[in-house]
Structures are given as C-alpha cells and as structure tokens.
Amino acid sequence: MFGPPVPCDGGIAIPARNPRTRTPSTAEAGAWAEVLVRHQLLHAAVLAPNGQWLTQDRPESPVRVRNGPAAMVELAADIQHRIRTTRNRTR
C-alpha cells in the first residue's frame, strides 16, 4: 500500500506519499479547503473565479495564490505531513 519508508530528521521512518493517478477536481480541492479551515489549519481558503485558490494561514499573514485544485490538494497533503511528523517527534 505504501512505498518504502523514508527517514526524516528525527530518525523515524515515514512511508513516502503515493503519486496521484488522476488530477484533483475543484470539488475535491474545495472539500480539503473546507476541512483545513474548519480545523483551523488555515485561516481562509477561497476559490477565485479564474480557478486559483487564495489562502491565508492566519488573519495577519499575507494571502497566497495557489494555481488550481492540484495546488490546493498538495497544500493539504503538506499540512498533513507536517502534523504527522511533528506529532511523531513529540512522542
């Protein structure tokens, strides 16, 4: 199911992410955006009319432009990875 373990800084092996077999849809990106905001992992995530996503980490942080659904889903994956590696280091 997962690829071979990849060591991280703390010496804990974390399986490598599997590459996607399809391009994320706008609906999938929207679902991830909603989850990230609901769980306060992002302050805001808004779909612009041109298909880009505008995200903001905290109310005082700058707005970042994400180019399309794939970039939004990649952001969600990066946040999950950061949470998991941080959680493993504190155990």
Side-chain angles (χ1 to χ4, degrees):
M1 182 169 163
F2 292 105
V6 176
C8 67
D9 296 338
I12 299 169
I14 298 173
R17 282 189 251 163
N18 292 335
R20 293 185 64 96
T21 57
R22 61 178 177 75
T23 304
S25 67
T26 301
E28 181 181 1
W32 277 113
E34 183 180 327
V35 167
L36 294 173
V37 171
R38 184 178 339 122
H39 289 279
Q40 299 177 352
L41 299 168
L42 279 180
H43 173 68
V46 177
L47 176 62
N50 64 358
Q52 293 177 321
W53 286 88
L54 307 176
T55 62
Q56 192 175 24
D57 296 336
R58 295 176 310 279
E60 67 279 359
S61 64
V63 173
R64 296 177 188 247
V65 178
R66 313 280 173 181
N67 288 319
M72 189 66 218
V73 172
E74 182 63 27
L75 174 63
D78 289 344
I79 290 171
Q80 283 184 317
H81 181 74
R82 187 181 72 228
I83 289 169
R84 288 179 179 150
T85 56
T86 303
R87 189 178 298 154
N88 286 338
R89 288 181 188 159
T90 60
R91 287 184 181 173

